[in-house]
């Protein structure tokens, strides 16, 4: 297990694309210390920014442990395909971007774009996360295509933007546009949603188990479901099930908690 | 006295190029014919409060200095910085912008322009959905339906309607405005005579002004129709044929709902954004029934809830309309060369704004590499501002952090930004004292003219940037040896 | 006086009929000369191929539609970056590179000139600004004139000479090089969302047909003595069955041919060579097109080769681009230009597994190999429509090696493979012929007399490629050939070594060519255009033409017109 401890408080953006098990695993400690990392516009080595030590790990998996505040460090776990990263603190933007395997756990918060374009693997964030979880890069339609992101706290806006597969589970609240442009996959929100969930979605499943500010007028009501299955678990409802986004000829399914959203009872007149 | 014709106006994105500047015998501008109030104000008053010399902050006070000293100080600030932000760019020429990108690349900084707080979301919308657009002449020639959505040209782009839309004449689309005006003038004089005769003969006579010809959405006349969609009734709405008041923060829902209707779908709801669905169905019929429609939109969409997704939806709506008729959409760009700033940035770096060059190659991710966000996170350790006033316009959390670090300002006037600056270099006024190129809101490039000589000793934006770039290169060479 | 000598290479200079002869090329002050003194700098080209620098007759690299495409597709750039070096600017690449990257990448392949084929006249300044920021190569741009209201009205009224004089004005106003025609009549129809569907389909509101536009502008071109012919993107581009339109377009100017000189250039012929009624039974019209071209000498073509990758389509053909949006569902940009033209952009991915795309891949190669005279068919991808120009080395390998083609054939869609003519075509272009299709023929078609050859007086634009034709048969060692063409051993531009082993060693900027046509009554034309200006455009007459001093390195070519 390699342990990284920040040597000081970081003020400038740190490009941490080299902090992944794939890159560390084949290298000696000396080589890891020499790995390139950018601090603002200055090229540095990992060892200049972090104290790095090698300890035995309880796990079979190649492990990187980061102890301290790395909220300025971006792209931790970039394209990793194996092993695990444990962040004991806050992590920066683009956590686990394009990862295709392995696991990342963060005890604190994570920035925006966590799990962006990921293909496989797991990211678990105990605190809050930013916007664009599992999203596509700007201009692209290829968001997250597999894997799992679990956020225990709240997440921001446009969670799962252009998502194509996989699961995003948010135990806290989300902002607006959860699942925007979704192509497939599942988003589950236990807390509240600030609204416009599923906007412009083509397919996929969004479950809002808490209060939602609104439901897009371009969604049509299907039926009331007693329970919904998410990640092998049965979530108790009842839920209103909507289909949409009709403006995009979408067949996505939006489940909205009935008891937490009494204002939606006006839709019941459309059900036989 | 001298009259200089075909001068382009360096104020707003309408970028009128038919201004006639009148100079007196001392070569001072005394009149700006055809200009709107904003243009006239700039041409007539540009020099009244300009900063006369470069300034440097010493012991907390701004003191006069030489150009060389100011440039040396500016260059040093940039070279020392670990993550400098170079911001502004929209109120100067493309020629200056080109040097700006080179400078940002040389110092490994972030270059961002005013799109970031204006039509940046429109760019994000285009990157998601494309855009069906044209040059403004296409609207003048062909549009029989004009929609101003969340945009109030009466205040922000005063000559837009008369040059390109409601009050203009085109090859295939005449405006009834000119007819209306002459009819009105005819009636006014009739009215005068009538009133006089009333007063004399005490007869009651009522003249109704131009009545509506038939139903509001008639397809039988060749009249250009204008619809305004806004949260409040603006003066543009007064001049329009139809005004739709939308509930604030609900434009996105409205646009998506219209898309369903355009595609012959049905909605489960009775009203959207405070407008009954029947009215929306009428609006849909009007949009489908036109020969060529154009939707202009402004900050009411880019800077309200949903931001770039409002634009995404608006663009998608006009794209869907192209299945039925010809429909175009255009953002009402604010500054006269913000379009040019985007264009220069895109051709030099691949990206239109919020370009991070700190790692030696261009990276783009608004929210991460955009000026306001960088400042709110207090990541920039030096700020270079040109042709813009961020301290006046940015959120307080961002401006507060501008104040914390060395600030260089290239601005001819005193502004809240220059008042916080450590180095001020006043340039000439592009488009009045210096030539250049700028791009109208529809991407048409036009020349910026020089109509008067700048005062002695003033350099243009481009020259200042070139000198700073040269100094930066000298300092870096020195550092490496 | 800077002198350079390229010694001992195998020289391929088709315009001077030199076919692999071992000889020295002498350079002084940027031009090729008979000989130089002993103390000249030496480039040792022993065991290597020496050719004139590459010339690209049709590549979308600068201007309004290209830049909007850059803005549209950040996702295209993020996968391909150029880091700043001491000598070079940073940038991004892939299908729509930033301008500095464009210049460097052409130069690394030994190219020294590229022509931007689509310039909306109203936005000509934009094209030239970007070309000014495109280093390493000489360039030119073709203004779009086929749907210009003045053209449509003049031709409709039979006023060919009038039109010629106006076009001379336009070429100067826009600093243009050639008359570009795209989907004649279709772009004006697209102003109201319509299109034209055959050469005899009248243009709405104007009552003129595409046939008349092509013939009219062909006559104009002859009257103006322009160095290039009219450059045509045919009607019905990309439609199954459109090879008929391509043939008709070539036939319709047969009688205007003069002394066996070409009077028409059809660009990216692959997109106009489709047989079949619909996408389901698309097949190749290469045989019919090639037969015609083999029997006529008034036409030149360029390939428009497709490469299997993600790319971006961009043309002035607004209705065609809209059609592509419907086909793909991808984001769509449209940009109509008042009084003049239109344009559209749609991202596109060509897949080996698609029967249609694989057939398209085959078509351009079939045409290139079935047309016997290589001077008639030039190599392009219509960058980036068929693929990025950085794929040229790959295409060069396909042209010179059957083995290279077979490798690809094995992996493409089975149906397309069965229909493809390539398995029955043994022909492999020689290096001599390759030099024609990638430089000599391109320069000749363009009428650029000092380019594309290594004779005395030519510009010293030279490419040296690390492939030894004595030792290696390029047909067999096509990978070596491809690598050689990817990273030139040397690129010499205007007599200076600018690239060595595929790296930029000296950043330079080239010139912008344009045609300065001298007519007899230019003032009358000025007055006519001025009078109508405000009716036609939304800008002032004074602000339209590009002024002296705007281009950073203009190179006007003066011609005297017959009007």
């Amino acid at each position: 297990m390699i342990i990284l401890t920040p040597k000081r408080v970081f003020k400038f953006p740190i490009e941490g694309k080299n902090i992944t098990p794939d890159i560390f695993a084949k290298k000696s400690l000396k080589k890891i210390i020499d790995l390139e990392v950018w601090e603002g516009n200055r090229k540095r080595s990992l060892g200049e920014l972090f104290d790095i030590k090698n300890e035995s790990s309880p796990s079979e998996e190649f492990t990187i442990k980061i102890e301290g505040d790395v909220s300025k460090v971006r792209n931790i776990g970039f394209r990793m395909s194996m092993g695990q990263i444990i962040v004991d603190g806050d992590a920066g933007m683009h956590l686990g971007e394009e990862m295709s395997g392995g696991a990342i756990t963060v005890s604190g918060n994570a920035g925006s774009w966590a799990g962006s374009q990921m293909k496989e693997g797991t990211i678990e964030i105990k605190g809050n996360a930013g916007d664009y979880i599992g999203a596509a890069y700007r201009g692209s339609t290829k968001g997250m295509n597999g894997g799992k992101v679990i956020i225990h706290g709240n997440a921001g806006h446009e969670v799962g933007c252009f998502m194509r597969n996989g699961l995003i589970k948010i135990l806290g609240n989300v902002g607006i546009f959860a699942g925007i442009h979704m192509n497939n996959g599942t988003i589950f929100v236990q807390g509240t949603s600030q609204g416009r969930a599923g906007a412009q979605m083509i397919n996929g499943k969004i479950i809002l188990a808490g209060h939602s500010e609104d439901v897009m007028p371009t969604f049509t009501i299907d039926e009331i479901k007693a329970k919904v299955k998410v990640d092998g678990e049965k979530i108790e409802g009842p839920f209103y099930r909507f289909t949409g986004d009709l403006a995009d000829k979408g067949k996505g399914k939006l489940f909205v908690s009935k008891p937490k959203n009494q204002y939606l009872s006006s839709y019941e007149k459309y059900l036989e | 006295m001298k009259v200089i014709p075909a001068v382009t106006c360096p104020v707003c994105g309408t970028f009128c190029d038919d201004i006639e500047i009148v100079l007196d015998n001392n070569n001072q501008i005394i009149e700006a014919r055809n200009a709107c109030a904003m243009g006239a104000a700039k041409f007539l008053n540009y020099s009244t409060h300009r900063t006369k010399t470069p300034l440097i902050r010493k012991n907390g006070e701004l003191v006069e200095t030489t150009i060389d000293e100011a440039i040396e100080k500016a260059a040093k600030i940039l070279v020392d910085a670990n993550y400098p932000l170079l911001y502004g760019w929209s109120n100067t020429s493309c020629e200056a912008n080109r040097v700006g990108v080179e400078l940002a690349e040389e110092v490994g900084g972030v270059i961002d322009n005013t799109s970031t707080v204006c039509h940046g979301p429109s760019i994000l919308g285009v990157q998601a959905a494309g855009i069906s657009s044209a040059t403004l002449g296409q609207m003048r020639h062909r549009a029989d339906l004009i929609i101003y959505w969340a945009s109030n040209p009466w205040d922000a782009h005063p000559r837009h309607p008369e040059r390109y839309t409601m009050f203009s004449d085109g090859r295939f689309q005449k405006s009834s405005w000119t007819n209306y005006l002459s009819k009105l003038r005819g009636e006014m004089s009739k009215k005068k005579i009538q009133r006089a005769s009333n007063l004399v003969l005490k007869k009651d006579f009522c003249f109704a002004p131009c009545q509506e010809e038939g139903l509001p959405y008639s397809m039988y006349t060749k009249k250009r129709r204008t619809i305004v969609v806004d949260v409040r009734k603006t003066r543009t709405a007064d001049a329009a044929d139809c005004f739709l008041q939308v509930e604030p923060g609900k434009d996105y829902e409205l646009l998506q709902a219209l898309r369903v209707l355009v595609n012959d779908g049905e909605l489960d709801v009775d009203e959207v954004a405070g407008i009954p669905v029947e009215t929306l169905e009428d609006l849909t019929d009007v949009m489908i029934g036109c020969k060529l429609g154009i939707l202009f939109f402004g900050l009411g969409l880019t800077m309200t809830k949903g931001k770039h997704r409002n634009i995404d939806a608006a663009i998608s709506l006009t794209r869907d309309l192209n299945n039925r008729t010809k429909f175009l959409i255009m953002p009402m760009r604010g500054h006269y060369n913000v379009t040019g700033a985007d264009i220069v940035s895109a051709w030099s770096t691949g990206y239109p704004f919020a370009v991070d060059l700190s790692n030696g190659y261009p990276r783009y991710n608004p929210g991460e590499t955009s000026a306001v966000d960088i400042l709110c996170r207090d990541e920039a350790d030096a700020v270079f501002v040109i042709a813009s006033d961020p301290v006046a316009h940015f959120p307080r959390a961002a401006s507060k952090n501008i104040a914390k670090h060395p600030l260089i300002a290239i601005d001819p006037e005193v502004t809240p930004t220059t008042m916080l600056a450590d180095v001020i270099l006043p340039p000439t006024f592009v488009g009045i004292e210096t030539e250049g190129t700028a791009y109208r809101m529809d991407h048409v490039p036009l020349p910026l003219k020089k109509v008067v000589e700048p005062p002695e000793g003033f350099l243009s934006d481009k020259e200042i940037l070139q000198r700073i770039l040269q100094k930066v290169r000298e300092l870096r060479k020195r550092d490496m040896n | 006086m800077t002198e350079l000598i390229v010694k001992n290479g195998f020289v391929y200079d088709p315009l001077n009929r030199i076919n692999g002869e071992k000889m020295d090329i002498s350079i002084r002050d940027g031009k090729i000369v008979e000989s130089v003194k002993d103390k000249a700098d030496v480039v040792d080209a022993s065991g290597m191929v020496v050719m004139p620098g590459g010339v690209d007759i049709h590549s979308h690299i600068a201007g309004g539609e290209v830049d909007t495409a850059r803005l549209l597709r950040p996702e295209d750039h993020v996968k391909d970056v150029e880091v700043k070096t001491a000598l070079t600017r940073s940038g991004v690449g892939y299908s729509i590179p930033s301008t500095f990257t464009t210049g460097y990448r052409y130069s690394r392949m030994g190219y020294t000139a590229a022509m931007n084929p689509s310039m909306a006249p109203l936005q000509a300044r934009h094209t030239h600004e970007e070309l000014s920021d495109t280093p390493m190569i000489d360039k030119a741009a073709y203004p779009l004139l086929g749907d210009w209201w003045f053209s449509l009205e003049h031709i409709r009224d039979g006023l060919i000479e009038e039109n010629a004089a106006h076009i001379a004005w336009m070429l100067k106003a826009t600093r243009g090089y050639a008359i570009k025609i795209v989907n004649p009549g279709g772009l004006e129809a697209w102003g109201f969302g319509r299109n034209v569907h055959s050469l005899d389909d009248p243009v709405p509101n104007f009552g003129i047909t595409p046939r008349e536009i092509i013939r009219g502008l062909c006559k104009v071109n002859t009257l103006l003595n322009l160095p290039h012919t009219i450059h045509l993107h045919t009607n019905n581009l990309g439609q199954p069955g459109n090879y008929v339109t391509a043939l008709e377009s070539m036939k319709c100017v047969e009688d205007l041919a003069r002394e066996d000189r070409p009077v028409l250039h059809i660009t990216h012929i692959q997109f106009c060579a489709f047989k079949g009624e619909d996408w389901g039974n698309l097949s190749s019209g290469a045989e019919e097109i090639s037969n015609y071209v083999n029997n006529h000498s008034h036409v030149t073509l360029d390939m428009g080769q497709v490469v299997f990758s993600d790319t971006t389509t961009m043309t002035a053909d607004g209705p065609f681009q809209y059609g592509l949006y419907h086909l793909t569902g991808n984001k769509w940009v449209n940009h109509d230009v008042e009084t003049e033209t239109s344009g559209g952009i749609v991202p596109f991915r060509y897949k080996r597994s698609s029967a249609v795309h694989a057939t398209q891949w085959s078509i351009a190669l079939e045409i290139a190999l079935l047309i016997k005279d290589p001077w008639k068919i030039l190599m392009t991808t219509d960058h980036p429509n068929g693929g990025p120009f950085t794929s040229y080395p790959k295409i060069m390998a396909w042209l010179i090696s059957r083995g290279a083609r077979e490798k690809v054939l094995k992996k493409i869609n089975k149906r397309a493979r069965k229909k493809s003519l390539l398995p029955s075509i043994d022909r492999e272009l020689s290096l001599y012929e390759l030099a024609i299709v990638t430089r000599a023929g391109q320069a000749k078609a363009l009428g650029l007399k000092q380019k594309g050859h290594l004779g005395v007086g030519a510009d010293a634009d030279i490419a040296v490629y690390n492939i030894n034709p004595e030792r290696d048969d390029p047909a067999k060692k096509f990978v070596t050939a491809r690598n050689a063409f990817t990273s030139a051993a040397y690129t010499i531009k205007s007599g200076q070594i600018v690239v060595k082993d595929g790296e930029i060693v000296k950043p330079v900027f080239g010139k912008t060519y344009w045609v300065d046509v001298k007519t007899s009554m230019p003032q009358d034309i000025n007055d006519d255009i001025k009078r109508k200006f405000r009716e036609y455009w939304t800008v002032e007459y004074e602000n339209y033409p590009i002024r002296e001093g705007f281009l950073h390195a203009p190179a006007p070519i003066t011609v005297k017109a017959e009007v």
Side-chain angles (χ1 to χ4, degrees), chain C residues 248-265:
Chain C
E248 276 191 47
S249 304
M250 294 193 275
K251 288 190 182 133
C252 88
V253 290
E254 249 178 55
D255 64 313
L256 301 175
R258 357 160 239 169
E259 314 134 11
D260 276 5
R261 273 164 64 194
V263 289
L264 170 66
H265 179 90

Side-chain angles (χ1 to χ4, degrees), chain B residues 125-142:
Chain B
V126 171
Q127 290 171 339
I131 182 166
S132 164
S133 198
T135 63
L136 287 162
Q138 286 290 68
M139 289 116 210
R140 198 189 90 193
H141 286 304
R142 307 176 196 256

Side-chain angles (χ1 to χ4, degrees), chain C residues 132-151:
Chain C
S132 294
D133 264 356
T134 306
M136 316 308 292
I137 53 176
D138 290 330
K139 47 245 167 170
Y142 315 152
L144 289 151
L145 296 168
D147 287 75
W148 184 31
W149 283 357
F150 280 90
S151 290

Side-chain angles (χ1 to χ4, degrees), chain B residues 17 105 127 131 133-135 137 140-142 163 171 322-323 326 343 347 350 360 439-440 449, chain C residues 67 71 84 89-90 99 129 133 153 188 190 322 326 331-332 334 336 338 534-536 540 543:
Chain B
D17 73 327
E105 185 187 66
Q127 290 171 339
I131 182 166
S133 198
T135 63
R140 198 189 90 193
H141 286 304
R142 307 176 196 256
R163 278 176 66 76
R171 185 187 186 113
N322 272 284
N323 285 338
K326 179 86 179 177
I343 284 176
W347 92 53
Y439 286 72
R440 200 166 70 178
K449 300 254 166 91
Chain C
D67 209 32
L71 182 150
K84 176 178 168 9
R89 299 281 302 266
S90 68
T99 54
E129 280 204 292
D133 264 356
E153 288 163 4
E188 166 50 41
W190 183 242
Y322 179 61
H326 269 290
K331 50 192 176 183
W332 162 63
N334 184 77
D336 300 330
E338 65 210 56
R534 279 197 187 147
E535 258 175 66
Y536 282 50
E540 293 295 292
N543 292 328

